Amino acid sequence: MDRKEFLSQVGLGAASVLIPICMGGLSSCKKIGVTPNTDFIIDISTGALAKNGGFLVSNGVLIARTNSGTFIAVSAACTHQGTNVNYNASGNNFICPNHGARFDSNGNVIQGPASASLTKFNSTLSGSSLHVFA
Ligand code: FES
């Protein structure tokens, strides 16, 4: 077997291993837990963050305003299969609508099937500008 023949067979072998992993469509190939953009400022004077208990997703980060008026920022994508989680103000936790995983206010798993925590980010409020950063 010459070099060209060898590389051709190795390349075909590698492709045959990789292709089935992504055969379920592009969504099955996405990366879970990719670090979102975590240095941005958001206006909290209007919209979901203007009232206690509201939340929104921006730049891959879920920002929640708790019932006591503080802000929490965590990675929005569930660590199980990537569905965006929701903020549950009454429990001050995060719930994935896909398979029911729950995360506490620090992003730690409190109920599976997710096994990895959400990433928690810092936030500082200046007037109506909330700075979210890693
Ligand atoms: S995608 Fe969140 S629990 Fe499955």
Side-chain angles (χ1 to χ4, degrees):
M1 175 185 306
D2 67 12
R3 181 173 180 260
K4 188 175 178 182
E5 240 176 41
F6 173 77
L7 290 175
S8 173
Q9 289 185 5
V10 168
L12 184 58
S16 65
V17 169
L18 293 175
I19 288 172
I21 292 171
C22 297
M23 288 295 279
L26 287 178
S27 64
S28 67
C29 296
K30 68 185 168 191
K31 293 180 179 177
I32 305 291
V34 173
T35 303
N37 173 5
T38 52
D39 192 357
F40 60 93
I41 294 172
I42 192 160
D43 179 11
I44 58 123
S45 65
T46 61
L49 296 177
K51 291 186 177 179
N52 290 351
F55 76 95
L56 58 75
V57 174
S58 178
N59 298 303
V61 177
L62 187 155
I63 304 151
R65 183 170 183 160
T66 68
N67 282 339
S68 61
T70 60
F71 291 90
I72 305 171
V74 296
S75 51
C78 178
T79 57
H80 179 230
Q81 291 183 351
T83 303
N84 277 357
V85 297
N86 295 319
Y87 177 63
N88 171 33
S90 63
N92 193 30
N93 55 27
F94 302 94
I95 301 172
C96 178
N98 202 359
H99 307 110
R102 288 177 180 258
F103 305 85
D104 69 16
S105 59
N106 289 312
N108 299 314
V109 176
I110 52 178
Q111 178 180 306
S115 58
S117 302
L118 302 173
T119 302
K120 188 166 185 185
F121 299 106
N122 301 303
S123 61
T124 57
L125 185 63
S126 176
S128 62
S129 297
L130 185 71
H131 182 200
V132 178
F133 56 101

